[in-house]
């Protein structure tokens, strides 16, 4: 009987030990869970803000980057990485909603949303901001070296890119929607055109641009322009501001016949394993001082009205980077979520242009 009692006590001690060990491991895992995994565009946040967030919260940040909305979507759909925060563009947010890839936001957990300027809330791609929080906004335009291009070229129209005097001196964005959109708008059509005749004509027009194209890239254009290795580049507004800060000869122009107006927002994908940390990050980025610091570092326009007040008047009064949306909106278009077949046509036509551009 005594042996049975000892055995029973031994079993109890072993069980308690296992329970303690399991609780210890669970506690350790809880510590591991305090990791925030962010999926964002390259060079799209001030690294000091990530450090500050980690120091304030004790949450470790894992930061990964993508170079296109489509590449981001493919990885999110694969579901191999449990991202907690993703920063897609307007039309892609609408697509991700349709695909049931996003978590609906609990606005009771969000602090500082009132700091967002009303004109950037409740956009058509996400009414009532049920799934997204504004991060940055901007335009697509032309950056040029005023000391190199002919004086009569001010790039007030996209067709200036086709000027023969710019031979082998233009850098293009490696993006189907952007470059097909430019060709379409140069002929008075929409960046969201679904007429196949117009799309094929747009590709043919891009073919005529070949002699002027120095390179088609996304990441190298900054250094090429800063180092005077090209005269002209199709760029997004934030990249333009960054390059202009390094090279005083650069000018950013918005063609009058129209351009792309875009909005990038923060979302929480359904892959998130640490939703609490995601909300902490959203609230952190909504704080005016953090949003202002991020805007100063990246160069893009902030939708945070309180943050904008902290920026220099020289920056916020510059209509190249903070255009008045009421007047500018008539000649700016937001990319729409095209159906898969039409998007594939855009991509195929742009790929054809790139292949034929190889020199």
């Amino acid at each position: 009987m005594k042996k049975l009692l000892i055995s029973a006590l031994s079993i109890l001690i072993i069980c308690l030990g296992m329970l303690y060990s399991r609780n210890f491991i669970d506690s350790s895992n809880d510590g591991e869970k305090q990791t925030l995994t962010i999926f964002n565009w390259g060079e799209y946040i001030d690294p000091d803000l990530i450090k500050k967030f980690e120091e304030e919260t004790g949450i470790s940040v894992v930061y990964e980057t993508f170079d296109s909305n489509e590449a981001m979507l493919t990885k999110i759909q694969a579901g191999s990485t449990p991202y907690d925060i993703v920063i897609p563009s307007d039309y892609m947010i609408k697509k991700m909603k349709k695909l049931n890839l996003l978590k609906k936001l609990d606005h009771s957990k969000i602090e500082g949303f009132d700091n967002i300027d009303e004109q950037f809330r409740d956009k058509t791609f996400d009414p009532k901001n049920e799934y997204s929080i504004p991060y940055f906004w901007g335009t697509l335009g032309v950056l040029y070296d005023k000391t190199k291009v002919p004086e009569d070229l001010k790039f007030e129209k996209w067709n200036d890119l086709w000027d023969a005097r710019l031979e082998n001196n233009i850098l293009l964005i490696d993006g189907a929607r952007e470059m097909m959109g430019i060709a379409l708008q140069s002929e008075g059509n929409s960046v969201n055109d679904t007429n196949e005749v117009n799309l094929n004509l747009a590709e043919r027009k891009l073919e005529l641009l070949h002699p002027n194209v120095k390179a088609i890239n996304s990441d190298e254009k900054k250094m090429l322009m800063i180092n005077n290795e090209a005269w002209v580049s199709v760029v997004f507004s934030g990249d333009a501001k960054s390059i202009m800060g390094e090279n005083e000869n650069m000018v950013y122009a918005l063609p009058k016949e129209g351009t792309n107006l875009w909005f990038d927002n923060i979302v929480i994908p359904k892959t998130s394993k640490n939703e609490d940390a995601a909300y902490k990050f959203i609230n952190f980025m909504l704080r005016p001082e953090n949003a202002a610091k991020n805007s100063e570092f990246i160069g893009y326009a902030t939708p945070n009205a309180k943050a904008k007040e902290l920026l220099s008047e020289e920056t916020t009064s510059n209509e190249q980077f903070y255009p008045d949306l009421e007047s500018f909106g008539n000649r700016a278009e937001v990319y729409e979520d095209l159906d898969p077949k039409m998007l594939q046509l855009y991509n195929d036509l742009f790929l054809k242009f790139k292949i034929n551009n190889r020199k």
Side-chain angles (χ1 to χ4, degrees):
M1 185 69 180
K2 190 174 181 180
K3 287 183 179 180
L4 288 173
L5 182 60
I6 291 172
S7 297
L9 285 171
S10 298
I11 292 170
L12 179 61
I13 289 169
I14 291 170
C15 289
L16 287 171
M18 291 175 66
L19 181 63
Y20 174 80
S21 176
R22 190 177 71 180
N23 285 340
F24 178 79
I25 292 170
D26 284 348
S27 175
S28 175
N29 284 342
D30 283 344
E32 290 177 4
K33 284 180 183 176
Q34 286 306 304
T35 295
L36 179 73
T37 306
I38 299 175
F39 202 23
N40 196 4
W41 300 86
E43 299 181 3
Y44 211 37
I45 191 170
D46 185 340
D48 287 342
L49 287 174
I50 292 179
K51 293 178 185 176
K52 182 180 177 182
F53 175 78
E54 290 179 321
E55 291 170 358
E56 283 189 11
T57 64
I59 297 170
S60 177
V61 173
V62 175
Y63 190 85
E64 295 186 18
T65 64
F66 55 84
D67 59 9
S68 73
N69 280 291
E70 288 67 32
M72 175 276 298
L73 178 64
T74 298
K75 196 159 187 184
I76 294 294
Q77 287 180 304
S80 56
T81 304
Y83 295 111
D84 301 301
I85 289 286
V86 181
I87 303 179
S89 301
D90 33 57
Y91 73 95
M92 187 54 68
I93 292 171
K94 188 173 181 179
K95 189 180 190 73
M96 293 175 80
K97 283 166 56 181
K98 286 181 182 177
L99 294 172
N100 196 30
L101 296 174
L102 303 180
K103 290 189 176 183
K104 196 169 185 177
L105 297 176
D106 182 349
H107 276 260
S108 69
K109 296 181 180 179
I110 297 174
E111 301 170 4
F113 184 74
D114 288 346
N115 294 335
I116 299 296
D117 192 316
E118 287 189 7
Q119 65 183 330
F120 300 109
R121 305 184 207 172
D122 195 30
K123 307 303 288 185
T124 56
F125 58 85
D126 185 22
K128 299 181 182 179
N129 290 92
E130 290 185 315
Y131 294 88
S132 66
I133 300 296
Y135 183 70
F136 277 133
W137 69 281
T139 57
L140 180 69
V142 180
L143 183 73
Y144 65 96
D145 187 333
K146 64 184 179 183
T147 68
K148 299 291 179 64
V149 304
E151 289 186 6
D152 59 308
L153 290 182
K154 303 297 182 184
F155 299 95
E156 294 182 343
K157 56 184 184 298
W158 287 117
N159 280 317
D160 285 350
L161 293 172
W162 279 261
D163 192 293
R165 293 170 292 177
L166 300 177
E167 183 177 358
N168 196 38
N169 264 299
I170 297 178
L171 305 176
L172 301 181
I173 285 180
D174 190 4
R177 295 299 300 271
E178 289 80 10
M179 293 313 305
M180 288 292 291
I182 287 172
L184 287 164
Q185 284 186 321
S186 72
E187 293 297 317
N189 298 314
S190 168
V191 296
N192 301 303
D193 201 325
T194 57
N195 183 301
E196 293 190 17
V197 173
N198 288 344
L199 292 174
N200 278 282
L201 287 174
E203 191 280 329
R204 290 181 188 177
K205 182 161 185 178
L206 285 179
E207 297 269 4
L208 298 176
L209 191 58
H210 286 321
N212 291 357
V213 178
K214 186 179 185 69
I216 302 173
N217 61 64
S218 295
D219 300 322
E220 298 173 9
K221 60 180 175 293
K222 281 188 178 182
M223 291 311 301
L224 290 172
M225 292 298 286
I226 290 171
N227 295 331
N228 298 307
E229 294 182 53
W231 297 355
V232 180
S233 181
V234 174
V235 293
F236 291 112
S237 50
D239 286 342
K241 191 171 187 297
S242 176
I243 296 168
M244 290 168 71
E246 299 289 335
N247 189 330
E248 62 183 10
N249 294 325
M250 297 295 166
V251 177
Y252 182 61
L254 296 174
K256 291 181 177 179
E257 70 262 49
T259 187
N260 168 230
L261 176 66
W262 55 264
F263 307 93
D264 287 344
N265 286 27
I266 301 173
V267 300
I268 302 177
K270 287 197 171 179
T271 57
S272 175
K273 299 295 184 183
N274 197 347
E275 197 172 316
D276 180 62
Y279 279 107
K280 286 180 180 178
F281 180 78
I282 288 172
N283 293 341
F284 177 83
M285 295 306 299
L286 282 171
R287 281 159 46 185
E289 68 275 17
N290 293 334
K293 179 176 173 57
N294 204 29
S295 182
E296 286 178 335
F297 182 84
I298 302 300
Y300 285 103
T302 178
N304 190 314
K306 295 292 184 182
K308 186 179 176 182
E309 292 174 2
L310 301 177
L311 299 174
S312 69
E313 185 178 351
E314 180 183 0
T315 295
T316 58
S317 63
N318 189 331
E319 292 188 2
Q320 292 173 310
F321 303 107
Y322 279 89
D324 178 65
L325 292 190
E326 286 190 15
S327 58
F328 183 69
N330 294 328
R331 57 190 181 95
E333 294 183 271
V334 177
Y335 294 136
E336 293 177 2
D337 175 25
L338 302 176
D339 68 63
K341 181 181 177 181
M342 188 53 58
L343 182 60
Q344 188 61 52
L345 179 57
Y346 270 75
N347 291 335
D348 289 346
L349 289 171
F350 181 60
L351 179 60
K352 178 183 176 183
F353 161 68
K354 289 205 306 182
I355 291 173
N356 290 339
N357 186 67
R358 291 175 182 169
K359 298 176 179 179

